Amino acid sequence: MNVQPETDAIRGRTILFVDDEPLSLKYFKASVGRYANVVTADSPDAALKILESQGDAISVVVSDERMPRDSGVSFLSNVRKSWPQAVRILTSAYANIDLQQAINGAGIHCFLPKPWDLDELCSAMQEALHVERAQDRTDAKEERVADAENASLELLAVLSRELVRPLQSLEAEASVLSAMSELQTALQVPNRQSQTASWSAQLRAGKAGAAAGRMQRDIAYCKALAEPISALAESLCEPLSNQTFSMTETASAVMEKVTGSASGKFITLDARNDFQYRAPKQVITFVLLDVMRRTIRLARNGADILIELVPSQEFNEVRIIAPIPRAPGNHIPELERACRSALWAFGGELLLSSDNTAGTETASIRLPKPQTGLTASTH
């Protein structure tokens, strides 16, 4: 495999970094400059001037969120409108960021918290450059079959990377369990234990049980990711076609898989407006499974969940509506990142919206309409 031309092409790409802190600008350029050309701006106004003169040559735009006269989300939203080909990344030292607006409005590729971890920062920049490079290849080919193949390959890579996070968590929790077990063994005495010692043992056992529960959830997540990885790997070995698939049948199959985890909740599929989609079926199944499991986990006990299929002239949507309590952390959990990346790979989007009056949240999986002349399939 010829790796050097690809590496050289990525090194020739340009990243624009926007931040009002001079030290951040200096650190970013020194760290990322080894992988790509880096230009910096100390304000959104200065960055827009750079984009107006060099926009077509800029592959990635990275912006801090908090700046004196504009927010990073607002700036990246403007970048999305005028330079949609640029991969957009948001960074900030503050946690109270409206990531829903960042994703729906600015279409950010990812969020990087400050202070940066050098390896994570460089890895994110290299990934963004590869995403932009892959998009260039897709646009140049202008072939629908190639689009589907690229979508499968990109999702396979995303899923593989997503496995790293829970596995790291498993390793950490296993270390905690091991240390606590050794400590409990050392504190055991052959005579009758005091009440304090007994209480301590119970506390340690409770912590060990909580850690084991977290491990079980992470393991389940790994298994959920491993299934579509395997299916996608197999599909890549088969000839690609221009078939379309019934969303009703795909959603029904997903409902059967999640029914067991929806204890106390009633799920309804409104399939009166079925539509066809053209994308790797494994991709859509994975996204629906992930979004449904998240909705079931966050929905109020005893709540009804509605799945609506909504075709339109411009795009088709799957809307998952559920009563969800308003609480910090409900929106954009980490495991949704794979869904967004998977949909973006072939022109789709994951949008989240809330109705405060009704007390509901809607997760909309928006898909491009299939072009005419494609072969329909009901499988």
Side-chain angles (χ1 to χ4, degrees):
M1 181 174 61
N2 191 0
V3 178
Q4 190 63 35
E6 176 75 6
T7 303
D8 291 342
I10 289 176
R11 188 176 290 115
R13 299 283 166 136
T14 299
I15 298 174
L16 170 61
F17 177 52
V18 189
D19 199 322
D20 62 322
E21 297 180 0
L23 288 178
S24 293
L25 297 175
K26 183 177 180 180
Y27 181 81
F28 185 95
K29 190 166 187 176
S31 303
V32 180
R34 73 189 79 171
Y35 303 111
N37 300 323
V38 175
V39 293
T40 61
D42 59 5
S43 70
D45 290 341
L48 288 174
K49 291 181 180 179
I50 294 174
L51 285 165
E52 288 170 359
S53 61
Q54 307 177 36
D56 293 339
I58 293 176
S59 303
V60 182
V61 179
V62 184
S63 176
D64 186 54
E65 166 60 10
R66 293 198 177 184
M67 290 178 285
R69 286 183 291 181
D70 201 359
S71 69
V73 171
S74 175
F75 165 67
L76 290 176
S77 296
N78 292 331
V79 172
R80 184 186 192 184
K81 295 175 183 176
S82 301
W83 297 275
Q85 81 285 354
V87 178
R88 297 164 296 279
I89 295 176
L90 184 68
T91 184
S92 179
Y94 300 91
N96 58 337
I97 293 175
D98 189 352
L99 286 181
Q100 179 177 336
Q101 174 60 26
I103 291 168
N104 293 348
I108 65 168
H109 175 69
C110 67
F111 172 74
L112 291 176
K114 288 183 176 180
W116 298 314
D117 175 89
L118 179 58
D119 291 337
E120 183 179 351
L121 173 65
C122 293
S123 176
M125 293 304 104
Q126 289 178 297
E127 178 189 349
L129 289 168
H130 276 90
V131 168
E132 197 269 350
R133 178 69 174 164
Q135 185 60 47
D136 278 358
R137 289 196 299 266
T138 300
D139 293 341
K141 290 180 180 179
E142 295 182 351
E143 296 178 358
R144 294 191 298 269
V145 174
D147 288 344
E149 182 179 10
N150 287 340
S152 296
L153 289 170
E154 289 179 15
L155 177 59
L156 188 60
V158 169
L159 294 178
S160 299
R161 289 193 295 271
E162 285 296 314
L163 281 174
V164 174
R165 189 183 304 274
L167 288 176
Q168 290 175 340
S169 176
L170 285 173
E171 291 177 351
E173 298 294 356
S175 298
V176 171
L177 284 175
S178 177
M180 293 184 66
S181 177
E182 292 176 2
L183 180 61
Q184 186 172 3
T185 302
L187 291 177
Q188 286 181 347
V189 294
N191 299 325
R192 184 174 55 187
Q193 290 182 321
S194 66
Q195 184 176 0
T196 301
S198 176
W199 179 86
S200 298
Q202 293 177 6
L203 177 62
R204 290 192 298 274
K207 289 184 177 180
R214 288 190 292 271
M215 289 179 66
Q216 291 174 345
R217 289 192 293 272
D218 281 343
I219 290 172
Y221 180 47
C222 288
K223 290 181 178 179
L225 290 178
E227 183 178 343
I229 285 177
S230 177
L232 279 172
E234 293 178 3
S235 70
L236 293 176
C237 299
E238 301 174 356
L240 292 174
S241 69
N242 285 331
Q243 284 186 331
T244 61
F245 303 94
S246 164
M247 183 55 74
T248 294
E249 294 195 2
T250 302
S252 297
V254 169
M255 284 180 59
E256 291 182 6
K257 291 185 177 181
V258 302
T259 299
S261 61
S263 178
K265 301 178 179 68
F266 185 75
I267 305 176
T268 301
L269 172 62
D270 184 352
R272 290 175 295 178
N273 298 312
D274 185 25
F275 59 79
Q276 300 286 314
Y277 65 89
R278 185 193 66 84
K281 191 174 183 179
Q282 296 89 346
V283 172
I284 301 303
T285 299
F286 167 76
V287 172
L288 279 172
L289 273 171
D290 210 13
V291 175
M292 279 300 301
R293 285 168 176 158
R294 169 193 175 276
T295 302
I296 290 169
R297 177 172 57 84
L298 295 178
R300 297 193 186 103
N301 291 332
D304 293 342
I305 298 173
L306 174 63
I307 306 174
E308 290 183 336
L309 306 186
V310 185
S312 70
Q313 292 184 348
E314 298 180 358
F315 48 78
N316 296 324
E317 281 189 349
V318 181
R319 297 177 184 171
I320 302 174
I321 308 169
I324 294 180
R326 299 287 293 176
N330 275 359
H331 296 291
I332 320 300
E334 288 296 331
L335 56 82
E336 284 180 15
R337 183 169 53 186
C339 292
R340 295 195 300 271
S341 299
L343 291 171
W344 286 345
F346 56 90
E349 288 186 285
L350 175 60
L351 307 176
L352 299 178
S353 60
S354 300
D355 185 335
N356 294 330
T357 303
T360 60
E361 181 184 278
T362 300
S364 299
I365 300 170
R366 181 174 293 181
L367 302 171
K369 292 181 70 68
Q371 297 183 16
T372 58
L374 300 178
T375 304
S377 170
T378 58
H379 301 291

